[in-house]
Amino acid sequence: MPVIVLEASDLTSPLSLVRMWALLSGCLTFSLVASLVPSELTSDTHLPSFRILCMFTWCLFFILTLLIQVINIIQFHSLFPISWKNLTMTVAALAALMTLSASVTFPWAVMGHEGVWPRPIAASLVSCLTFLAYATEAFLIRTQTQDQKGYMASMPGLLKVLQLWGGCEMIVLIVEQVRGALVAVGWQLWVSGAVYALCLLMSLGTVMVVLGDCAGRCPLPFDRLLAGFSLTGVLLYVVATILCFTRVLQLRNRGLDLTDGKTGPTVVIMETVMASITLLAYTVDLAFSIKLLRDRSHA
């Protein structure tokens, strides 16, 4: 298969420039964070998973964006058995959500608050620029013509990315609660963790099928399968959201300060908010799936 060399004019396209912006700001972010000394980090031993999540987010999407940029330049994407237009949109949208979380989490749970340190502040600001770069990339891909953008650029596709992001964040929040033993009733945490893991696997499987263009090879009609996944996600997240509110009430009855940003109860509140957002994503996705099935039945 012949390899087409990218023309020099394509290097100055808005999409390529935005990806270079994301690469530079992402590299600068994790470089600044990696160079921080212990005095510039929080002295609280709680929430260490958030520091790992932030570094993982910046490094992972820097590598993925670099690979996408290089493959796009040398035009090797036609050699991979994946849907390139869906891959670029998935990476951009998920990177925007994950870097947004990192931009909020880093100054709250990782950066030290005992003094004013220039490098942590700079890392927080550059992380926000990284989020803006990925959000701009996702917007540019969505504004392309219908032939240039795939399923993941549609509203149902973006909802799948939102569900995937919510599941990733939930796993980290559950890990922190298990480590901190925040609630007396342990079975609630394990049930919530099982719900989040199952929904995360369903969302990840759906995205992988779309990226691999395997929808036509599914033994079941793919649109019905998506509707089933959405309905399952709604039911499971209803249970998880109820358990979240139950744990919030338990912590309140125990007299804990729910507004203290450095204590475990805040993690429970964060989980409740994230569960509500993800539940909303599954509900809207279910509405889209039902509408699609109804339209096809009338066609």
Side-chain angles (χ1 to χ4, degrees), residues 13-23 132-134 136-138 140:
S13 65
L15 207 52
S16 294
L17 293 177
V18 166
R19 284 176 182 150
M20 290 301 299
W21 170 18
L23 285 173
L132 290 177
Y134 284 118
T136 304
E137 180 186 357
L140 291 177

Short mmCIF file of all heavy atoms in Angstrom, two decimals, residues 13-23 132-134 136-138 140:
data_model
loop_
_atom_site.label_atom_id
_atom_site.label_comp_id
_atom_site.label_asym_id
_atom_site.label_seq_id
_atom_site.Cartn_x
_atom_site.Cartn_y
_atom_site.Cartn_z
N SER A 13 -2.53 23.58 9.32
CA SER A 13 -3.99 23.54 9.44
C SER A 13 -4.38 23.77 10.90
O SER A 13 -3.60 23.51 11.81
CB SER A 13 -4.52 22.18 8.96
OG SER A 13 -4.08 21.15 9.81
N PRO A 14 -5.59 24.28 11.13
CA PRO A 14 -6.00 24.54 12.52
C PRO A 14 -5.91 23.31 13.42
O PRO A 14 -5.50 23.41 14.58
CB PRO A 14 -7.44 25.02 12.37
CG PRO A 14 -7.51 25.58 10.99
CD PRO A 14 -6.59 24.75 10.16
N LEU A 15 -6.26 22.13 12.89
CA LEU A 15 -6.23 20.92 13.69
C LEU A 15 -4.80 20.55 14.09
O LEU A 15 -4.54 20.18 15.25
CB LEU A 15 -6.88 19.77 12.92
CG LEU A 15 -7.52 18.65 13.74
CD1 LEU A 15 -8.48 19.18 14.78
CD2 LEU A 15 -8.21 17.66 12.83
N SER A 16 -3.86 20.66 13.16
CA SER A 16 -2.47 20.35 13.48
C SER A 16 -1.89 21.35 14.48
O SER A 16 -1.15 20.97 15.39
CB SER A 16 -1.63 20.34 12.21
OG SER A 16 -2.00 19.28 11.35
N LEU A 17 -2.24 22.61 14.32
CA LEU A 17 -1.73 23.63 15.24
C LEU A 17 -2.29 23.42 16.65
O LEU A 17 -1.57 23.59 17.64
CB LEU A 17 -2.10 25.02 14.73
CG LEU A 17 -1.41 25.46 13.43
CD1 LEU A 17 -1.92 26.82 12.99
CD2 LEU A 17 0.10 25.49 13.61
N VAL A 18 -3.56 23.05 16.74
CA VAL A 18 -4.15 22.81 18.05
C VAL A 18 -3.51 21.60 18.72
O VAL A 18 -3.26 21.59 19.94
CB VAL A 18 -5.68 22.64 17.92
CG1 VAL A 18 -6.27 22.06 19.19
CG2 VAL A 18 -6.34 23.96 17.60
N ARG A 19 -3.21 20.57 17.93
CA ARG A 19 -2.54 19.40 18.51
C ARG A 19 -1.13 19.74 18.98
O ARG A 19 -0.67 19.22 20.01
CB ARG A 19 -2.50 18.27 17.48
CG ARG A 19 -3.85 17.58 17.31
CD ARG A 19 -3.83 16.54 16.23
NE ARG A 19 -5.15 15.93 16.06
CZ ARG A 19 -5.61 15.45 14.92
NH1 ARG A 19 -4.84 15.48 13.82
NH2 ARG A 19 -6.81 14.90 14.85
N MET A 20 -0.44 20.59 18.26
CA MET A 20 0.88 21.04 18.71
C MET A 20 0.75 21.83 20.01
O MET A 20 1.59 21.70 20.92
CB MET A 20 1.54 21.88 17.63
CG MET A 20 1.97 21.11 16.40
SD MET A 20 3.14 19.78 16.78
CE MET A 20 4.49 20.73 17.46
N TRP A 21 -0.28 22.63 20.10
CA TRP A 21 -0.56 23.37 21.34
C TRP A 21 -0.79 22.40 22.49
O TRP A 21 -0.23 22.58 23.59
CB TRP A 21 -1.77 24.27 21.09
CG TRP A 21 -2.34 24.93 22.30
CD1 TRP A 21 -1.74 25.11 23.52
CD2 TRP A 21 -3.65 25.51 22.43
NE1 TRP A 21 -2.59 25.76 24.38
CE2 TRP A 21 -3.75 26.02 23.75
CE3 TRP A 21 -4.73 25.65 21.56
CZ2 TRP A 21 -4.91 26.65 24.19
CZ3 TRP A 21 -5.87 26.29 22.01
CH2 TRP A 21 -5.96 26.78 23.31
N ALA A 22 -1.59 21.36 22.27
CA ALA A 22 -1.84 20.37 23.31
C ALA A 22 -0.56 19.64 23.70
O ALA A 22 -0.33 19.35 24.89
CB ALA A 22 -2.90 19.38 22.84
N LEU A 23 0.29 19.32 22.72
CA LEU A 23 1.55 18.63 23.01
C LEU A 23 2.47 19.49 23.87
O LEU A 23 3.04 19.02 24.86
CB LEU A 23 2.24 18.24 21.71
CG LEU A 23 1.66 17.06 20.93
CD1 LEU A 23 2.35 16.92 19.59
CD2 LEU A 23 1.79 15.78 21.73
N LEU A 132 -8.03 23.44 27.39
CA LEU A 132 -8.57 24.28 26.32
C LEU A 132 -8.12 23.79 24.95
O LEU A 132 -8.89 23.84 23.98
CB LEU A 132 -8.13 25.73 26.53
CG LEU A 132 -8.75 26.47 27.72
CD1 LEU A 132 -8.16 27.87 27.85
CD2 LEU A 132 -10.26 26.54 27.59
N ALA A 133 -6.89 23.29 24.86
CA ALA A 133 -6.39 22.79 23.58
C ALA A 133 -7.19 21.56 23.14
O ALA A 133 -7.61 21.47 21.97
CB ALA A 133 -4.90 22.44 23.70
N TYR A 134 -7.41 20.62 24.05
CA TYR A 134 -8.16 19.42 23.69
C TYR A 134 -9.62 19.74 23.41
O TYR A 134 -10.24 19.14 22.52
CB TYR A 134 -8.03 18.37 24.78
CG TYR A 134 -6.71 17.66 24.79
CD1 TYR A 134 -5.85 17.74 25.88
CD2 TYR A 134 -6.30 16.90 23.69
CE1 TYR A 134 -4.63 17.08 25.89
CE2 TYR A 134 -5.08 16.25 23.69
CZ TYR A 134 -4.25 16.34 24.79
OH TYR A 134 -3.05 15.69 24.79
N THR A 136 -10.72 22.54 22.18
CA THR A 136 -10.72 23.17 20.86
C THR A 136 -10.57 22.13 19.76
O THR A 136 -11.23 22.20 18.72
CB THR A 136 -9.58 24.19 20.75
OG1 THR A 136 -9.70 25.15 21.82
CG2 THR A 136 -9.62 24.92 19.43
N GLU A 137 -9.71 21.13 19.98
CA GLU A 137 -9.55 20.07 18.99
C GLU A 137 -10.86 19.31 18.78
O GLU A 137 -11.26 19.03 17.64
CB GLU A 137 -8.45 19.11 19.42
CG GLU A 137 -8.23 17.96 18.44
CD GLU A 137 -7.24 16.94 18.93
OE1 GLU A 137 -6.66 17.13 20.02
OE2 GLU A 137 -7.05 15.91 18.23
N ALA A 138 -11.54 18.98 19.88
CA ALA A 138 -12.83 18.28 19.76
C ALA A 138 -13.85 19.14 19.02
O ALA A 138 -14.63 18.63 18.19
CB ALA A 138 -13.35 17.91 21.14
N LEU A 140 -13.18 21.48 16.74
CA LEU A 140 -12.81 21.54 15.32
C LEU A 140 -13.20 20.25 14.60
O LEU A 140 -13.64 20.30 13.44
CB LEU A 140 -11.30 21.78 15.19
CG LEU A 140 -10.79 23.16 15.61
CD1 LEU A 140 -9.28 23.22 15.50
CD2 LEU A 140 -11.43 24.25 14.74
#
